[in-house]
Amino acid sequence: MISVIIPVYNVEKHVTRTLNSLANQTDNNFELVIVNDGSIDSTLQVITEYIAQNKLHNVKIINQENAGVSVARNTGIEASTGEYVYFLDGDDYVEIKLIETLNNVIKDEHPDLVFWKWRKVTEQGELINDYHSILPYDNTLMMNGEETLKKLVLDKSIRMISAISGLYNRKQLNDHNIRYTPCCVNGEDQEFAFKALSVADKVVSLQDVYSYYVQRKGSLTNNYNIKKFDFADALKRAGYFMLGKNPNLKEVAMTLLKGEMIDNYFYNLSSCLQSAKSIYIRKLLKDIEIQYPGTTKEMKELMRTWKREKQSKNRLVDAYLIAPELFHALLIIRNMKSKVKSVVGI
């Protein structure tokens, strides 16, 4: 059986759609574990009233003081009884055949991990990104964790597994003490997936879209939030976990600790600067240093090491090492070019 774990926090306007997508499943053989993470709106009332209508069965509702999504998911793991666990956020939703498809895969293959395609949509359900249609996608259906990680990190032929697009064997999570890191708000999904993949013997890839990630206006992605840089420690934990579990994953782990670290650093710098257009990069770097002392120096040293090892040029790396302001200027120019292209339809 599958345990669907839903952490909820102040999602009174969205959780009904999430529950509807589960109530309408073509296969209702699943356990639903809802963890109310200290909501202060009417989220809990909306959920209890929905459950009272008998649209969903085999439901557990757990109330806890607000501790963040990672702790809420861990609470769900501990309370679940299914052989497999699936995490769905309280504002996202799934296709009606998800559970039926997953139960069939479990019956036929007994995998350690299953993943599938997903789309990012607006609160109104309008498509924002269909990553799998614009990126090369490896159509291999059956792999082990090592092969999957190499395709994911080295070949870039697989899109990153999000929290809402992965099914995990609960026993394997328990055997290797894999849990979400408390208080980590960015990179926690990747860390969890990387760790689970590094110990997985059998991984199944589904070729259809089954999950929808709803990007809300108040989400972390759309705001100036220094906690975005939690990603760095998340990648470190994942990389060192791999090194300790499988020596064949050394190249993957070192890529996480170097190239992926730099790419994510630049991505989050760009995200913060675009979210708060009046913020200069020196102010951003100062804020980062207050929250994560030593990060700026560490990232510069990492960039220099990466340049020596790769012996190749990267405009953003070169610009940042010369002066962060030059890096910021390049970002502005890139964004202006992108807007012009979108206007003229190039």
Side-chain angles (χ1 to χ4, degrees):
M1 185 175 65
I2 297 169
S3 293
V4 179
I5 298 169
I6 307 181
V8 294
Y9 177 73
N10 292 353
V11 286
E12 60 182 5
K13 296 180 180 179
H14 308 279
V15 72
T16 298
R17 177 169 58 182
T18 303
L19 297 176
N20 279 337
S21 74
L22 292 171
N24 293 329
Q25 289 294 305
T26 55
D27 183 348
N28 62 7
N29 183 24
F30 64 92
E31 173 187 53
L32 179 57
V33 181
I34 301 173
V35 182
N36 177 36
D37 188 36
S39 296
I40 56 176
D41 64 358
S42 61
T43 294
L44 182 59
Q45 180 182 347
V46 171
I47 293 171
T48 52
E49 290 178 355
Y50 189 98
I51 301 302
Q53 298 174 34
N54 291 319
K55 293 181 179 180
L56 283 165
H57 306 280
N58 197 10
V59 182
K60 295 178 182 177
I61 300 177
I62 301 169
N63 291 298
Q64 65 178 34
E65 293 185 5
N66 180 246
V69 65
S70 292
V71 172
R73 287 173 179 160
N74 291 341
T75 298
I77 295 174
E78 301 304 325
S80 64
T81 60
E83 182 183 1
Y84 290 84
V85 294
Y86 167 56
F87 303 100
L88 180 65
D89 287 341
D91 51 1
D92 300 329
Y93 56 97
V94 297
E95 289 284 352
I96 62 173
K97 286 193 173 183
L98 173 64
I99 298 298
E100 178 184 351
T101 301
L102 294 178
N103 277 332
N104 287 336
V105 171
I106 292 169
K107 180 181 177 181
D108 295 339
E109 304 296 342
H110 304 287
D112 296 313
L113 194 153
V114 184
F115 69 96
W116 53 90
K117 297 179 181 180
W118 56 279
R119 288 176 179 157
K120 182 188 291 186
V121 297
T122 66
E123 294 177 52
Q124 293 73 39
E126 298 170 350
L127 182 65
I128 298 175
N129 276 317
D130 184 355
Y131 299 104
H132 305 287
S133 67
I134 61 176
L135 293 174
Y137 193 84
D138 191 298
N139 291 316
T140 306
L141 301 179
M142 202 83 65
M143 301 165 279
N144 60 35
E146 181 181 324
E147 292 168 332
T148 308
L149 281 167
K150 288 179 179 178
K151 291 176 183 292
L152 181 65
V153 177
L154 304 180
D155 302 338
K156 306 290 186 183
S157 59
I158 294 177
R159 179 70 191 175
M160 184 62 215
I161 303 170
S162 74
I164 65 169
S165 68
L167 179 77
Y168 300 91
N169 183 297
R170 188 166 65 92
K171 182 177 185 302
Q172 190 179 64
L173 297 180
N174 289 335
D175 288 347
H176 296 278
N177 195 29
I178 297 173
R179 292 293 187 270
Y180 282 91
T181 300
C183 300
C184 181
V185 301
N186 191 27
E188 76 281 8
D189 296 342
Q190 294 92 325
E191 176 189 351
F192 190 91
F194 284 144
K195 288 179 176 179
L197 284 169
S198 67
V199 296
D201 293 319
K202 193 172 190 178
V203 178
V204 174
S205 170
L206 303 179
Q207 302 303 300
D208 294 318
V209 173
Y210 288 105
S211 301
Y212 296 87
Y213 167 77
V214 178
Q215 182 171 298
R216 291 193 280 156
K217 292 181 180 179
S219 68
L220 181 71
T221 306
N222 292 326
N223 287 296
Y224 180 90
N225 190 329
I226 299 303
K227 290 292 285 179
K228 290 179 180 181
F229 291 86
D230 276 0
F231 85 88
D233 285 337
L235 286 182
K236 288 178 184 177
R237 288 189 295 267
Y240 291 129
F241 183 91
M242 287 181 197
L243 290 173
K245 292 292 182 179
N246 186 346
N248 293 330
L249 288 173
K250 182 177 180 180
E251 185 180 5
V252 174
M254 296 314 295
T255 300
L256 288 185
L257 296 172
K258 294 181 181 179
E260 289 294 315
M261 185 75 71
I262 295 170
D263 288 346
N264 276 269
Y265 181 69
F266 283 160
Y267 174 83
N268 285 290
L269 283 178
S270 176
S271 176
C272 283
L273 291 169
Q274 289 184 49
S275 299
K277 299 186 185 301
S278 61
I279 296 291
Y280 291 100
I281 192 167
R282 287 292 177 183
K283 170 66 166 61
L284 172 57
L285 294 177
K286 183 179 179 180
D287 290 345
I288 294 171
E289 196 63 22
I290 292 172
Q291 184 73 33
Y292 310 94
T295 295
T296 303
K297 181 180 178 181
E298 179 184 351
M299 291 307 304
K300 283 186 174 180
E301 291 175 352
L302 186 59
M303 290 177 204
R304 294 188 183 100
T305 300
W306 182 87
K307 279 190 64 176
R308 287 195 301 269
E309 292 177 352
K310 292 293 182 180
Q311 295 184 345
S312 60
K313 292 185 177 180
N314 180 298
R315 290 181 65 187
L316 290 178
V317 170
D318 292 339
Y320 186 89
L321 290 176
I322 293 170
E325 289 82 2
L326 183 57
F327 165 83
H328 193 181
L330 278 179
L331 288 181
I332 293 172
I333 293 171
R334 285 191 175 189
N335 290 335
M336 290 175 62
K337 287 182 176 179
S338 178
K339 288 180 181 179
V340 170
K341 286 182 179 181
S342 65
V343 169
V344 300
I346 298 177

